[in-house]
Amino acid sequence: MRERERGGTMKGEGKTLFKSKLKWVGLVGLALSVFSLFTHFLLARYAVEGFSEYQASITIFFWRPIFEIADLSTNTPLYRRLWGPVRQLESLYPHATPKGSYAAPILQTNGFVFVRIRGGFHEIRNSISDVVVVARLLNATLVIPEIQSTTSSKGISSEFKSFAYLYNEDQFIAALAKDVRIVKTLPKNLKGARKKKEIPLFKVSRSVSPYFYRRHVLPVLNRHSVVELVISDGGCLQAILPHHLEEYQRLRCRVAFHALRFRQEVQEIATKILNRLKAPGRPFIAYDPGMSRDALAYYGCGELFQDVHTELIQHRRSWMIKRGFVKGNLTMNSAEQRLNGSCPLMPEEVGILLRAYGYSWDTIIYISGGEVFGGLKKLIPLHGMFENIVDRTSLSTAWELGKIYGREVNLVDKYPRTSSFVKEEMKREAWKTSGPRPRPLPPPPARPKYPYNIEGWWGWVAESDNEPESTVMELRMNAHKLLWEAIDYTVCVEADVFVPGFDSDGKGRPNFASLVMGHRLYQSAASKTFRIDRREVIKLLDELRDHLYEANHTWITSVRRHLRKALLEGLTHESMRSKSLSFISHPFPECSCSRQGHTDTSFHASSPSSTHLRVQAARGVAHPCPAWMNSDKISQSIDKTREEDLDEDDDSSSAGLFFRYSGGSHGGGGGEINNKEEALMEDQEELEGAER
């Protein structure tokens, strides 16, 4: 009996021990599961960046680069012609430091200048440069400007408001410490006065002279210790200042090109995109189409589009005429505007020019500037000519882009927009299910409306003559566009080649592309920037309108000669047109210096005097650089420079071969040159064309 009890006890203890072991195994398994789940979350969040950097040469997110030749030789004459620097501008270097007696700002200023800025990316950047100069003129303390595009947008992150939404405040203050005294906010007593609207306010235009500020604004500032400036015109000071205020022009350069740095999150993603673009080890082109709805409406280019897009452009032009932004008729001859160079070049036309110049189908092209009006179908011909077309969305993830927005709340519009088309369908259904007959007949059916005409932000065109008010989500999107353009701006400035499709905005002033060209001229003047004369290009394109993809050698030579001239002579055009409207779009020669003993000097020494004068006319007269910037090591012999010019072999790959698989890398189209002597003559002609 005892043995049975003892055996039963042992069995009970065994069962208990077995159950306890199962519990421990279950607990360990549960702990491992939790740890595995946590590890997966970490990998999903942080491994995207590491994976993309490691695999950059194979795949960059949605972009899989395809190249015909694995290794691109950088020593060939063709490479120098397509990607090399502009030799005539190699001696120019950025130099925006004060040159004469320039006093530091004093602590006891005349008062505070509070600024509100309205507008897009290029208008904000231009206005901030002007505001700093105005504060220096008035010997005033500048309050960090308020950017209305962010303060008026509901639902954007509270982490980054106003100026700090786009730019680095601390960098801005530190970089200008020797120029202007800057504070982040007004003193408490003045904040209260501003809320009560007791601060004197000036709504200033972009062409105000320094005399106006000293004669009218300064006395008010001395009396009230504060003034408020409202800037909605893309600037608050005339672009060309008198010669004795040249130091203020250099101050503009220090603001635009040194003090205005994007906040860290924006700068980091822009740097990542640049690294991913350069990961394949090849140079790339940045192309800004400049095809905005406002610009097309302002210049009357609506008829270049079809269907709903023309109607949208005409509606916008009507709105501009009513408010006095445009003086002219509602209907414009778009064909004449295009011939005058007043309309943007279409992406297809830019692609043809680049192929004719010699860029191969596997060239990397970065599309900047936000949405291309007309939709992605406008980029299809360009993509047919160039395989590697990318933008910021194909070089980054939605999670990475979301990081720059900060923590934003989920918005639901209080009054969601309901399409009248949907309301009409509801009425018809109600009529069908209503009471017994007899009843009135339904209204006759309206003209058919296809879904693609009423879906999207343009859907109101098919329903109403009036454009609806912006929703909360659209206001937030407008604020996000500032960040997108900041990313594009950084990439375009650092690109090996920059091509603008249009250089004017919807108010007839310099646009995003103009600011990029100005920054590139300041930072690296010799980098290739095609300042295209659209009037001449349209004439060339119309010569072969019916056979654009079967170009002959003569036409290709004309295009190449024009684009070579645009690298240098385009500076003259920009100095006459853009500079008078925005100084930072052409900060030359005030913010540049000429480095002695450079190849440019030796090149000019052997050039005819007339050619030398033409080059100087295009460049302007730059001041000599300080002695510490000069170096004899960078100078090269005249013979070597001339030898490189004559040694450029002909690249006939683009003669009649504008698409990817049209043949080999050479030949075809009746434009191939088999005679080496003729090729050298062509290169000599192109060289002379560039000098002229």
Side-chain angles (χ1 to χ4, degrees):
M1 192 73 180
R2 290 179 180 178
E3 290 180 357
R4 289 180 181 178
E5 290 178 358
R6 194 176 297 170
T9 304
M10 292 178 65
K11 286 182 180 180
E13 290 177 355
K15 288 181 180 179
T16 305
L17 183 63
F18 180 72
K19 288 180 180 179
S20 63
K21 286 183 178 179
L22 284 179
K23 288 180 180 179
W24 279 108
V25 170
L27 287 173
V28 171
L30 182 62
L32 288 174
S33 300
V34 172
F35 178 76
S36 176
L37 187 63
F38 180 71
T39 304
H40 276 80
F41 273 120
L42 285 179
L43 288 174
R45 180 165 185 175
Y46 296 107
V48 174
E49 178 181 349
F51 178 78
S52 64
E53 296 294 339
Y54 180 75
Q55 298 285 348
S57 60
I58 301 174
T59 173
I60 303 178
F61 295 102
F62 306 110
W63 174 45
R64 296 182 178 273
I66 302 174
F67 301 113
E68 184 176 18
I69 303 173
D71 297 323
L72 188 65
S73 177
T74 60
N75 297 322
T76 62
L78 174 61
Y79 185 93
R80 290 194 296 270
R81 177 161 68 85
L82 297 179
W83 306 105
V86 182
R87 284 187 306 275
Q88 293 90 334
L89 301 176
E90 281 186 317
S91 64
L92 299 180
Y93 284 81
H95 190 241
T97 56
K99 296 180 180 178
S101 57
Y102 189 79
I106 59 176
L107 293 178
Q108 189 64 33
T109 60
N110 293 325
F112 294 88
V113 174
F114 182 83
V115 184
R116 286 185 289 152
I117 301 174
R118 299 170 182 168
F121 177 87
H122 62 282
E123 293 169 321
I124 291 170
R125 197 172 183 87
N126 196 67
S127 299
I128 293 173
S129 299
D130 288 356
V131 162
V132 174
V133 174
V134 169
R136 174 80 187 191
L137 277 169
L138 300 176
N139 188 28
T141 299
L142 176 66
V143 182
I144 289 285
E146 183 180 279
I147 300 175
Q148 294 288 295
S149 300
T150 61
T151 54
S152 63
S153 301
K154 299 178 181 178
I156 67 170
S157 175
S158 58
E159 297 176 54
F160 316 107
K161 274 290 185 181
S162 195
F163 188 91
Y165 183 76
L166 188 58
Y167 294 110
N168 187 326
E169 285 185 342
D170 296 329
Q171 162 68 22
F172 182 73
I173 295 172
L176 298 173
K178 296 182 180 180
D179 297 292
V180 181
R181 188 163 180 262
I182 304 175
V183 295
K184 292 188 177 181
T185 59
L186 284 168
K188 290 184 179 180
N189 59 326
L190 295 180
K191 278 185 180 179
R194 181 174 175 267
K195 288 181 180 179
K196 297 176 183 178
K197 297 183 179 180
E198 296 175 352
I199 290 179
L201 185 145
F202 293 88
K203 293 183 179 180
V204 291
S205 67
R206 55 187 305 278
S207 58
V208 174
S209 67
Y211 173 81
F212 171 83
Y213 288 102
R214 287 173 172 167
R215 181 72 176 84
H216 299 284
V217 180
L218 185 57
V220 177
L221 179 65
N222 288 328
R223 285 198 303 270
H224 297 271
S225 299
V226 62
V227 292
E228 181 174 349
L229 303 181
V230 177
I231 306 172
S232 58
D233 216 16
C236 62
L237 186 67
Q238 64 187 46
I240 308 297
L241 297 177
H243 182 70
H244 68 279
L245 296 178
E246 187 175 346
E247 287 297 343
Y248 292 92
Q249 298 289 56
R250 281 189 280 275
L251 175 56
R252 274 172 162 163
C253 293
R254 293 196 293 276
V255 176
F257 309 132
H258 296 281
L260 282 179
R261 298 287 179 86
F262 302 117
R263 62 179 164 91
Q264 184 179 354
E265 294 82 1
V266 178
Q267 194 64 46
E268 284 178 356
I269 190 172
T271 303
K272 286 180 182 178
I273 289 175
L274 267 173
N275 292 337
R276 291 162 186 168
L277 270 171
K278 296 178 180 179
R282 289 174 175 254
F284 70 95
I285 297 174
Y287 163 52
D288 178 62
M291 294 174 60
S292 66
R293 181 186 172 200
D294 286 351
L296 293 164
Y298 183 87
Y299 290 99
C301 305
E303 295 176 6
L304 300 180
F305 293 80
Q306 296 177 351
D307 198 29
V308 69
H309 295 100
T310 297
E311 194 170 347
L312 281 166
I313 294 170
Q314 290 299 93
H315 185 278
R316 190 64 173 177
R317 183 171 175 83
S318 173
W319 181 88
M320 288 181 170
I321 291 174
K322 289 179 181 178
R323 284 157 180 77
F325 297 136
V326 176
K327 295 181 180 179
N329 299 324
L330 175 61
T331 304
M332 296 284 290
N333 189 331
S334 298
E336 288 185 2
Q337 291 293 94
R338 176 178 169 274
L339 288 174
N340 292 334
S342 299
C343 294
L345 292 174
M346 293 294 169
E348 178 185 14
E349 296 171 333
V350 172
I352 290 171
L353 294 176
L354 294 177
R355 292 292 280 129
Y357 192 71
Y359 293 103
S360 59
W361 61 267
D362 57 354
T363 301
I364 302 173
I365 298 182
Y366 181 88
I367 306 293
S368 75
E371 181 183 5
V372 178
F373 191 79
L376 291 176
K377 69 177 182 180
K378 291 296 177 183
L379 295 174
I380 291 175
L382 180 64
H383 202 293
M385 288 179 261
F386 294 96
E387 178 68 30
N388 297 314
I389 301 289
V390 293
D391 62 359
R392 65 179 170 277
T393 60
S394 56
L395 292 167
S396 61
T397 63
W399 177 76
E400 285 180 319
L401 287 174
K403 282 177 63 179
I404 66 176
Y405 307 143
R407 297 179 181 177
E408 295 181 328
V409 297
N410 294 324
L411 294 179
V412 178
D413 285 332
K414 187 177 290 187
Y415 306 103
R417 187 181 299 172
T418 305
S419 172
S420 59
F421 177 77
V422 176
K423 292 179 181 178
E424 192 68 26
E425 288 298 316
M426 292 172 62
K427 289 180 181 179
R428 293 180 186 277
E429 288 298 324
W431 180 84
K432 291 177 183 178
T433 57
S434 60
R437 299 173 188 273
R439 55 185 174 179
L441 293 175
R447 63 183 178 88
K449 297 172 183 177
Y450 302 100
Y452 64 83
N453 278 340
I454 60 175
E455 293 176 358
W457 65 269
W458 60 82
W460 58 269
V461 176
E463 304 294 332
S464 172
D465 293 332
N466 299 318
E467 188 168 354
E469 294 294 328
S470 297
T471 63
V472 179
M473 289 301 297
E474 287 171 345
L475 290 174
R476 175 191 276 183
M477 193 69 67
N478 289 335
H480 288 177
K481 286 178 181 178
L482 294 177
L483 304 178
W484 300 341
E485 291 190 336
I487 295 171
D488 289 342
Y489 184 86
T490 303
V491 175
C492 289
V493 169
E494 299 295 334
D496 299 277
V497 174
F498 179 68
V499 181
F502 200 53
D503 54 7
S504 298
D505 68 356
K507 297 180 182 178
R509 297 161 194 162
N511 67 349
F512 175 91
S514 296
L515 294 193
V516 170
M517 289 190 286
H519 199 148
R520 288 170 66 87
L521 179 62
Y522 171 80
Q523 179 175 294
S524 54
S527 59
K528 270 191 167 54
T529 302
F530 290 103
R531 297 171 175 84
I532 300 173
D533 186 341
R534 290 185 300 277
R535 185 179 300 180
E536 294 298 324
V537 164
I538 293 301
K539 290 179 182 178
L540 288 171
L541 291 171
D542 284 349
E543 288 178 7
L544 252 66
R545 178 55 57 187
D546 298 330
H547 305 282
L548 277 178
Y549 300 103
E550 300 175 1
N552 55 46
H553 170 64
T554 304
W555 185 83
I556 289 176
T557 303
S558 300
V559 170
R560 291 182 180 178
R561 188 171 299 165
H562 173 76
L563 291 181
R564 277 180 172 251
K565 289 168 63 178
L567 292 171
L568 190 63
E569 292 190 0
L571 290 175
T572 307
H573 180 263
E574 289 295 320
S575 65
M576 292 187 297
R577 193 193 64 82
S578 296
K579 187 170 183 174
S580 60
L581 301 173
S582 169
F583 175 76
I584 61 174
S585 67
H586 190 84
F588 184 81
E590 293 87 346
C591 299
S592 298
C593 66
S594 180
R595 194 169 174 178
Q596 298 175 0
H598 202 274
T599 53
D600 187 50
T601 306
S602 57
F603 173 75
H604 286 155
S606 62
S607 302
S609 58
S610 58
T611 303
H612 174 67
L613 291 175
R614 282 194 294 268
V615 171
Q616 289 295 333
R619 283 184 12 176
V621 180
H623 300 279
C625 291
W628 62 269
M629 294 182 66
N630 296 323
S631 173
D632 295 331
K633 295 180 180 179
I634 56 176
S635 61
Q636 300 176 5
S637 65
I638 301 170
D639 297 336
K640 184 176 181 181
T641 304
R642 300 295 293 177
E643 183 180 355
E644 287 183 356
D645 294 334
L646 296 175
D647 194 34
E648 291 184 358
D649 62 339
D650 173 64
D651 172 48
S652 53
S653 61
S654 54
L657 303 177
F658 289 100
F659 289 97
R660 176 179 170 185
Y661 298 115
S662 302
S665 59
H666 293 277
E672 183 176 357
I673 305 175
N674 297 319
N675 193 327
K676 182 67 175 178
E677 205 172 299
E678 185 178 350
L680 292 176
M681 289 177 61
E682 179 196 350
D683 291 327
Q684 179 64 25
E685 288 176 359
E686 290 183 354
L687 172 66
E688 293 173 357
E691 293 174 1
R692 297 190 190 114

